[in-house]
Amino acid sequence: MTDPPIATPEAVFLSGRMSPSPPSAIAPLVDRIRGPVTALHLARARGSLAAGEEVEFGPFTATADGLRHDGKDISWHSITSCRYGVVIAHEDESELGALLRMEYRAAEGGAYGFPFHWLRIPALDVPDMDVLIGLVDENRT
């Protein structure tokens, strides 16, 4: 049960094309398992937050008010985007691979004059990433 090798044409490599998931022969099986397991863990995380507890997701700590990352508090409502993405082609090799990508409004001003901050964290560093994304989606609106 292995995936076929990926060949990336140079034009695609230089364009930075993004894919929502890596090509996989077992993706349908993973999706069938992921849904019920994520629902169970999401319910458990909701209960913990409602009880005033914190929930750890590797570099993130979820609280009733939002997320804490690297000493910075990020309110739920300031998060504009949080998703899993796989970059299969990019001119900067540090941008390749499976990543949790998050964008949030900056209270004090973001990078390069933009009113946002961006986080790109390797997916393997974020346990229960689907649960974290579910909490963000439920609480940010």
Side-chain angles (χ1 to χ4, degrees):
M1 292 177 60
T2 61
D3 294 328
I6 299 171
T8 305
E10 183 177 353
V12 173
F13 180 79
L14 295 175
S15 73
R17 187 182 75 186
M18 184 116 158
S19 169
S21 64
S24 177
I26 64 169
L29 174 62
V30 171
D31 288 341
R32 286 193 72 185
I33 295 169
R34 179 185 296 141
V37 170
T38 298
L40 175 67
H41 286 268
L42 186 56
R44 194 174 297 153
R46 274 190 218 112
S48 294
L49 293 179
E53 300 171 10
E54 296 181 343
V55 182
E56 299 292 327
F57 294 97
F60 294 98
T61 302
T63 68
D65 298 323
L67 297 174
R68 192 168 39 253
H69 174 263
D70 216 15
K72 192 178 289 184
D73 290 323
I74 304 167
S75 73
W76 293 119
H77 300 296
S78 70
I79 300 171
T80 57
S81 173
C82 182
R83 63 190 167 85
Y84 169 78
V86 178
V87 179
I88 59 174
H90 197 277
E91 59 191 11
D92 180 359
E93 288 187 13
S94 68
E95 291 288 323
L96 296 175
L99 302 167
L100 172 74
R101 300 169 72 86
M102 182 183 297
E103 177 186 279
Y104 61 96
R105 285 186 298 279
E108 70 286 343
Y112 308 109
F114 290 104
F116 296 97
H117 285 291
W118 295 274
L119 294 174
R120 290 179 305 276
I121 308 225
L124 293 177
D125 292 351
V126 185
D128 287 332
M129 185 180 347
D130 289 333
V131 176
L132 175 63
I133 291 170
L135 284 174
V136 169
D137 287 344
E138 290 177 0
N139 290 294
R140 69 188 179 103
T141 55

